[in-house]
Amino acid sequence: MMNGVTIGQAAAFAGVTIKTVRHYHKHGLVEEPERDTSGYRRYGSAELLRLVQVRTLAGAGVPLADIGPLLDADAALFAAALADVERNLTERIEELIARRDTLHRIADGDRALLPDRAVGLLDRMPGLGFSPDEVATSREGLVLAKALVPEGFDDYLTHVEHAVEDARFVDLNKRALEAADWEPDDPRIAELATDMADHYLANPALLKIVTGLQARTEAATRYKLIAHHGEEQASASARLSALFATKLRSAGVDIPGPNSH
C-alpha cells in the first residue's frame, strides 16, 4: 500500500489547482515531497495540512511573501500579523464599496459627477419651464464649474438655490438659453444683455453667481472655460455673454476681461 496522495488528489483536497500547488512549492511555502519508488511524489498529512494552511491564508488576502514567516511565527507574532492583514482587507473593502457607490451614481446619471444639491437644482429645472436641452446645457456648466473651481462650488450652489426663487432671474436665464438659437446680429441680444445686467445690478446677491466662480489661481482662464462653455465664437450666446459682462464691468463688477489670462 502506497503512503500519501498524488499532487492532483492533494490539490483537490485543499480546494486549489495543481498549478497553484506548484506555485506554492516555487515560493517555498509547501515543501515538495520526495518521490516514491514508482517515481511519484506522494503528499502525506503534514504536507496536506500545510497546503490547507497556505491556501486559507492566501484566500484571506495575505500576500504569499508573508505566509511563510507567518506560519513559522509564534502565537503573538501570528496574531499581530493577522491584525495587519485584517486592517489591509478593511481598507480594500472600503475602497471597493466606494467604487461600487461610484458605479451606482454613474448608473443614476448626474450623481457620478455632481453632488446631490446640484442634481436637485437640475431636477427642478423642467418644472421651471426649461427644456431638456437647456437642462443638459446647465448640467455641463455645473460639471465644469465643480471641476475647475471646486473650492467655490458649494457657495455657488447656495447662490443659485436662492436665485431660482426669483422669477425674474429664472425668466432671464430661460431667455438667455433660448438665445442660443438666435442669429448673432439679432437686436434682441443687446436688449436681453441690458435686462440681465440691470436685474443683476439691482439685486447684488445675484452678482455672486457671476463673481463666485473665479478661481484663486488662473482665475480668468477657468472663469472663461465655464462661462463660455458650448459657445461658438461668433454665436448669439457668445455675443450675449460678452455684452452682459461688459455692462457689469462698466458698473464696477470684477469679471475677467476678454484679454485677461
Side-chain angles (χ1 to χ4, degrees), residues 4 13 15-16 23 35 48 55 57 62 182 198 210 222 259:
F13 291 155
V16 295
H23 192 59
R35 296 184 185 277
L48 284 173
R55 184 260 295 160
L57 289 170
V62 181
W182 298 351
D198 288 347
V210 180
R222 298 188 194 204
N259 298 317

Side-chain angles (χ1 to χ4, degrees), residues 217-230:
T217 57
E218 301 172 29
T221 299
R222 298 188 194 204
Y223 173 81
K224 285 186 284 187
L225 281 167
I226 298 165
H228 306 302
H229 168 68

Side-chain angles (χ1 to χ4, degrees), residues 23-201:
H23 192 59
Y24 291 164
H25 289 326
K26 180 180 176 184
H27 284 269
L29 298 175
V30 178
E31 189 174 337
E32 198 168 12
E34 297 293 331
R35 296 184 185 277
D36 63 12
T37 54
S38 302
Y40 292 100
R41 298 191 187 279
R42 295 282 170 175
Y43 291 74
S45 58
E47 288 86 13
L48 284 173
L49 175 62
R50 180 79 173 193
L51 183 55
V52 170
Q53 290 173 326
V54 172
R55 184 260 295 160
T56 302
L57 289 170
V62 181
L64 290 186
D66 297 340
I67 289 177
L70 190 57
L71 288 175
D72 296 332
D74 61 29
L77 286 174
F78 186 83
L82 283 186
D84 283 340
V85 172
E86 182 179 3
R87 190 159 45 249
N88 290 336
L89 283 174
T90 300
E91 290 173 1
R92 285 171 58 192
I93 289 168
E94 290 171 353
E95 180 186 350
L96 289 170
I97 289 172
R99 289 184 184 181
R100 184 191 62 189
D101 289 346
T102 299
L103 284 176
H104 287 167
R105 293 176 76 89
I106 290 171
D108 197 18
D110 301 325
R111 297 181 192 278
L113 299 170
L114 292 170
D116 290 340
R117 285 177 63 200
V119 174
L121 274 173
L122 292 170
D123 288 345
R124 290 182 62 186
M125 289 184 69
L128 295 170
F130 290 92
S131 72
D133 285 347
E134 290 165 349
V135 175
T137 298
S138 298
R139 178 186 299 113
E140 291 177 355
L142 286 173
V143 171
L144 271 176
K146 181 176 182 294
L148 292 171
V149 196
E151 69 277 7
F153 190 67
D154 282 345
D155 287 341
Y156 173 72
L157 285 179
T158 299
H159 302 323
V160 176
E161 285 167 346
H162 290 154
V164 294
E165 303 300 329
D166 176 349
R168 176 69 171 155
F169 169 85
V170 172
D171 181 61
L172 287 168
N173 275 274
K174 280 160 60 176
R175 288 171 59 198
L177 287 167
E178 291 165 4
D181 296 326
W182 298 351
E183 293 297 323
D185 58 355
D186 191 313
R188 292 176 294 173
I189 293 173
E191 295 170 12
L192 179 54
T194 299
D195 288 346
M196 290 174 63
D198 288 347
H199 188 65
Y200 276 67
L201 291 169

